[in-house]
């Protein structure tokens, strides 16, 4: 089958050499959308890339508390190493007095409350234990290098970022401190080391021990703040498109009372988002790969993702109600990119301008999820949940108002269509009556002509008889 089989495709069409207002209107709209889409995507690319710009140079905004419970050579080595590493691309080490955090649990609480991204501390009497071990003998054999220095951190909090910005940099600091300790002869015994056990201790005087509040090392963690959010948004958009198409095809807005339409749409969208959110949560749990989260965290994650999905369903519905059709896809892609950009990185690693991301529901849902997954160690619910509920309430109100707006214009369209149909019927009837009248006139004229012809023939016959 070739294009020549479609013979009607070229009938009564405007050719290349012909001109009409249609072509002018087409190019005017096409060029307008060409410019708008290019500017939109240029702006979105700039916005997204700008949030990641010079990420490493903002690492100094990552604050790590340092507490020296020992007060000896190891702490001095850490401070000396930090002075050599300090810069924009290295976390800021905040030296805190032991009195501010009397116990390790106080440090854990400070990290859990997100006052710091992590806390590095030197154990009490660590320097004296190291000094005894460098003397050789039983102290060297009993020495535990992982008992000297500990890092407290929460890997669930932007895990891919924390791995590099917190853990890797603190490991670098610990290694630099070992070099500084060796170079400065911290305990004053390095020159007198003779036993093999002491040399073993000197080779590895300490190992950075981790106190990870919520280990999060599974591979799927990389998409929790990207694809998961994007797919939820797209999932709502497609179902909304199907629902709106169904309502339009069945002319629901012109046939059913708006309040009933509003309730049915709300219940249908809530049920759809409920099922969709449990599927998303189920996939996160199915591929958690030993991640220490349980049934309580599953239920809480499901509920907050349900709220997030439903408010986005309503927000996208607001786009379709209040924006002209050509601008709806533009609004959708802008909404997706700006939401995802708000959670690509912690605000500490982005320019200050991007703190406007606090306004977007994706940032708040991710903060809430981090709090759930780490069992309260991201306590930002005081603002994240109110912002989410505010988005939900406003979007529900505008979406409900949109039902009345659609119903209003649907009735106007029905009335216009009915009037147009009535006008066509009236015109057709008038035309039919005019045609009937014309037919009657023609028939009368014909009958008159026939009667006139008959009278003429009768008169002619009578005259002929008289002449005869």
């Amino acid at each position: 089958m070739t294009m020549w089989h479609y013979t009607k495709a070229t009938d009564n069409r405007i050719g290349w050499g012909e001109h009409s207002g249609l072509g002018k209107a087409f190019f005017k709209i096409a060029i307008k959308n060409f410019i708008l889409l290019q500017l939109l995507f240029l702006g979105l690319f700039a916005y997204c890339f700008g949030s990641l710009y010079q990420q490493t140079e903002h690492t100094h905004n990552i604050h790590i508390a340092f507490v020296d419970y020992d007060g000896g050579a190891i702490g001095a080595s850490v401070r000396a190493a930090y002075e050599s590493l300090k810069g924009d691309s290295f976390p800021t080490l905040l030296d805190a007095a032991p009195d501010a955090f009397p116990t390790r649990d106080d440090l854990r609480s400070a990290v859990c409350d997100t006052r710091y991204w992590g806390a590095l501390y030197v154990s009490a009497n660590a320097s004296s234990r190291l000094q005894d071990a460098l003397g050789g003998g039983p102290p060297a054999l009993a020495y535990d290098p992982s008992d000297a220095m500990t890092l407290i951190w929460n890997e669930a909090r932007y895990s891919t970022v924390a791995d590099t910005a917190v853990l890797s940099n603190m490991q670098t600091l610990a290694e630099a401190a070992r070099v500084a300790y060796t170079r400065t002869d911290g305990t004053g015994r390095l020159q007198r080391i003779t036993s093999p056990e002491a040399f073993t201790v000197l080779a590895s005087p300490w190992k950075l021990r981790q106190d990870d509040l919520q280990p999060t090392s599974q591979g799927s963690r990389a998409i929790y703040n990207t694809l998961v959010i994007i797919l939820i948004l797209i999932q709502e958009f497609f179902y909304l498109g199907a629902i709106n198409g169904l309502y339009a095809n069945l002319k629901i807005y012109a046939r059913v009372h708006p309040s009933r339409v509003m309730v049915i749409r709300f219940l249908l969208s809530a049920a759809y988002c409920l099922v969709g959110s449990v599927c998303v949560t189920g996939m996160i749990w199915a591929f958690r790969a030993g991640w220490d989260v349980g049934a309580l965290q599953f239920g809480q994650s499901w509920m907050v993702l349900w709220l997030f999905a439903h408010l986005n369903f309503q927000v996208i519905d607001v786009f379709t109600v209040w924006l002209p059709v050509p601008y709806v896809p533009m609004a959708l892609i802008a909404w997706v990119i700006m939401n995802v950009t708000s959670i690509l990185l912690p605000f500490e690693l982005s320019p200050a301008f991007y703190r406007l991301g606090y306004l977007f529901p994706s940032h708040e849902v991710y903060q809430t999820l981090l709090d759930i997954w780490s069992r309260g160690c991201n306590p930002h619910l005081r603002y994240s949940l109110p912002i989410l509920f505010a988005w939900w309430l406003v979007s529900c109100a505008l979406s409900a108002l949109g039902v009345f707006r659609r119903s209003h214009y649907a009735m106007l369209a029905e009335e216009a269509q009915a009037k147009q149909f009535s006008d066509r019927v009236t015109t057709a009837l008038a035309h039919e009556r005019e045609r009937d009248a014309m037919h009657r006139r023609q028939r009368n004229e014909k009958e008159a002509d026939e009667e006139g012809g008959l009278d003429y023939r009768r008169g002619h016959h009578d005259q002929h008889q008289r002449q005869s």
Side-chain angles (χ1 to χ4, degrees), residues 34-108:
F34 179 97
I35 295 173
L36 287 177
L37 284 170
Q38 292 296 336
L39 292 176
L40 173 66
F41 279 90
L42 178 64
L44 292 177
F45 275 118
Y47 184 81
C48 186
F49 280 100
S51 70
L52 304 172
Y53 182 64
Q54 293 185 336
Q55 170 187 344
T56 304
E57 301 303 316
H58 291 93
T59 306
H60 64 279
N61 292 323
I62 300 293
H63 292 167
I64 308 294
F66 174 63
V67 181
D68 184 9
Y69 292 113
D70 174 56
I74 296 179
S77 299
V78 171
R79 294 183 180 92
Y82 174 67
E83 288 301 319
S84 65
L85 295 172
K86 183 169 61 174
D88 289 341
S89 58
F90 196 81
T92 299
L93 200 67
L94 300 177
D95 205 337
D99 294 342
F101 303 98
T103 67
R104 183 177 68 94
D105 290 337
D106 296 318
L107 271 179
R108 284 175 59 90

Side-chain angles (χ1 to χ4, degrees), residues 358-437:
Y358 278 113
L359 297 175
F360 295 106
S362 289
H363 181 266
E364 310 314 328
V365 76
Y366 192 60
Q367 293 299 319
T368 306
L369 288 172
L370 292 181
D371 185 77
I372 292 170
W373 295 339
S374 56
R375 295 175 176 82
C377 286
N378 192 59
H380 300 306
L381 302 183
R382 65 187 183 279
Y383 66 81
S384 63
L385 287 179
I387 291 176
L388 283 175
F389 276 106
W391 272 105
W392 182 76
L393 289 173
V394 173
S395 61
C396 285
L398 291 177
S399 180
L401 183 60
V403 171
F404 285 86
R405 186 174 190 269
R406 284 187 172 117
S407 297
H408 171 74
Y409 284 106
M411 282 306 301
L412 290 180
E414 285 289 314
E415 291 172 358
Q417 186 177 2
K419 185 177 183 303
Q420 186 179 12
F421 178 76
S422 177
D423 291 343
R424 286 200 302 267
V425 170
T426 302
T427 302
L429 291 174
H431 180 71
E432 186 68 23
R433 285 193 297 268
E434 182 180 351
R435 188 175 61 178
D436 291 342

Side-chain angles (χ1 to χ4, degrees), residues 312-345:
N312 276 284
F313 186 97
Q314 304 293 346
V315 167
I316 299 172
D317 187 38
V318 170
F319 292 162
T320 63
V321 171
W322 301 100
L323 293 178
V325 174
Y327 298 106
V328 172
M330 299 182 191
L332 173 66
I333 191 63
W335 179 253
V336 171
I337 295 301
M338 297 186 77
N339 268 277
V340 172
T341 302
S342 70
I343 54 175
L344 283 177
L345 289 177

Side-chain angles (χ1 to χ4, degrees), residues 204-279:
S204 180
W206 55 75
K207 294 179 181 178
L208 184 63
R209 183 170 61 184
Q210 295 185 50
D211 184 0
D212 192 349
L213 302 183
Q214 175 62 307
T216 307
S217 58
Q218 67 275 18
S220 57
R221 66 182 183 161
I223 64 171
Y224 292 164
N225 61 333
T226 51
L227 281 181
V228 169
I229 300 300
I230 293 172
L231 290 178
I232 289 175
L233 296 176
I234 294 177
Q235 183 181 27
E236 313 318 321
F237 175 74
F238 278 108
Y239 188 63
L240 177 64
I243 290 298
N244 286 343
L246 183 62
Y247 272 63
N249 290 335
L250 298 179
K251 298 183 178 180
I252 299 294
Y253 291 110
R255 298 179 178 179
V256 182
H257 194 277
S259 60
R260 184 177 179 184
V261 174
M262 182 176 61
V263 171
I264 292 175
R265 280 179 67 91
F266 180 86
L267 295 177
L268 193 61
S269 62
Y272 175 78
C273 295
L274 177 67
V275 175
S277 58
V278 75
C279 291

